[in-house]
Amino acid sequence: MAYDNLCKYLAETYPAAMVRWLARRCPELTGAAATPDAVQVLKTELPVEPIRADFVTLLRATDRLLHVEFHVDPTSEPPLPLRMLDYWVRLYRLHRLPVTQVVVLLRENAAGQGLEEVFEVGGTRHRFTVVRLWEVEAGELLADEALLPLAVLGKWESGEGLLRATAARVAGVTDAAKRANLSACVQVLAGLRFERGLIRGLFREESGLFREETMRESVIYQEILERGMAQGLERGIAQGVEQGSRLEAVRLARALLERRFGLLPSDVAAQVEQLSREQAEALAVETIGFDNLESARAWLATQTTASE
């Protein structure tokens, strides 16, 4: 889902903050992220019929891996506990290091409430940690700038009060680019819990940073999901857009880039126009993570020209 993919973006952008937060629930992680260079984000594609984990990082201080999976609904086939064992085996085979595993559940539901933190069959017993965000005090997430988007899913006396507090906290972020990214992330994740009208209204009223381009990004992702143009960013927009053409995908990617960075230079626009449908859909997903237009140029430079 889009929400899972957004959480992957947060974890990969702020790995040390993610480790520090999860260390409160996994004692073996304590002190592992004392400095920014103490964690190293690793490739999440694991060998043997490759599957992609949500977030994997090497904790240098303890020679341990942290593996995190984000889920709105943990219902799956094969069951999530078995998948966690599969991830563990593949990670250990690849790195030969102990692995701490955490499942972060984003929205309260029966499947999440009943999820067991162990896989056990015969003599095999494998444990992992489950963090239910709705049980986490939102205050601890609001206290860390990097975790602000997750705060809207935390525990608070009033839902509207929580959204208002988060919007105000985002408004206090001094770096303009970071503030815009966090604002977009907060508004997307807030869609799991709040009505869109309330989200728009409070960010316009409280944050003082409501910008049409930022909000349009959030709304566009929601509209993509609502129209069925994407079944979720976890599988990629390419698998969700069944009725779109290459030109439609290119137009979407270009529109997202222009909302972030303004009118595109002719060379960048030309490169975007030459992308295949799959590449354009991938670019639409990647755009939210670009810090500037040069990041988009670098990404485009890695792509091969689409065959006409």
Side-chain angles (χ1 to χ4, degrees), residues 80-232:
L80 184 55
L82 174 55
R83 289 171 54 204
M84 294 305 287
L85 173 60
D86 191 10
Y87 283 124
W88 186 94
V89 170
R90 297 184 187 215
L91 284 166
Y92 186 79
R93 178 189 292 121
L94 182 62
H95 299 285
R96 298 299 172 94
L97 291 172
V99 184
T100 293
Q101 292 183 295
V102 181
V103 174
V104 178
L105 300 178
L106 305 178
R107 181 166 61 187
E108 183 173 7
N109 51 47
Q113 290 283 17
L115 181 64
E116 296 289 337
E117 300 188 11
V118 62
F119 172 80
E120 187 169 12
V121 174
T124 299
R125 181 179 176 84
H126 176 67
R127 297 195 64 86
F128 53 93
T129 298
V130 176
V131 175
R132 297 170 174 86
L133 271 183
W134 60 90
E135 297 177 352
V136 176
E137 293 293 340
E140 76 174 70
L141 301 169
L142 286 171
D144 192 321
E145 186 176 282
L147 301 175
L148 280 179
L150 299 178
V152 293
L153 304 178
K155 184 178 179 181
W156 195 266
E157 292 181 0
S158 161
E160 182 172 333
L162 173 57
L163 191 58
R164 190 180 297 275
T166 307
R169 181 76 171 83
V170 171
V173 176
T174 56
D175 182 274
K178 182 182 292 186
R179 184 169 63 244
N181 284 337
L182 288 174
S183 176
C185 291
V186 168
Q187 292 173 68
V188 171
L189 282 180
L192 282 171
R193 187 172 185 177
F194 303 100
E195 294 293 330
R196 186 178 301 165
L198 177 62
I199 298 169
R200 289 174 174 170
L202 285 182
F203 266 75
R204 184 179 290 111
E205 172 188 343
E206 288 292 319
S207 69
L209 52 76
F210 182 89
R211 293 186 176 89
E212 285 299 325
E213 63 269 22
T214 300
M215 190 58 189
R216 280 198 299 267
E217 284 178 8
S218 175
V219 171
I220 282 175
Y221 275 96
Q222 293 301 315
E223 288 176 351
I224 288 172
L225 293 172
E226 291 168 358
R227 293 174 188 171
M229 290 181 68
Q231 300 302 313

Side-chain angles (χ1 to χ4, degrees), residues 7-19 35-45 52-60 64-68 70 91 94-95:
C7 290
K8 299 175 197 177
Y9 160 76
L10 288 175
E12 292 177 356
T13 305
Y14 307 106
M18 186 63 62
V19 173
T35 60
D37 60 355
V39 299
Q40 175 189 349
V41 177
L42 303 177
K43 292 181 179 179
T44 54
E45 186 175 285
R52 189 171 292 279
D54 283 352
F55 175 68
V56 182
T57 187
L58 169 63
L59 310 176
R60 299 181 188 277
R64 173 179 292 273
L65 302 181
L66 170 62
H67 164 220
V68 185
F70 300 98
L91 284 166
L94 182 62
H95 299 285

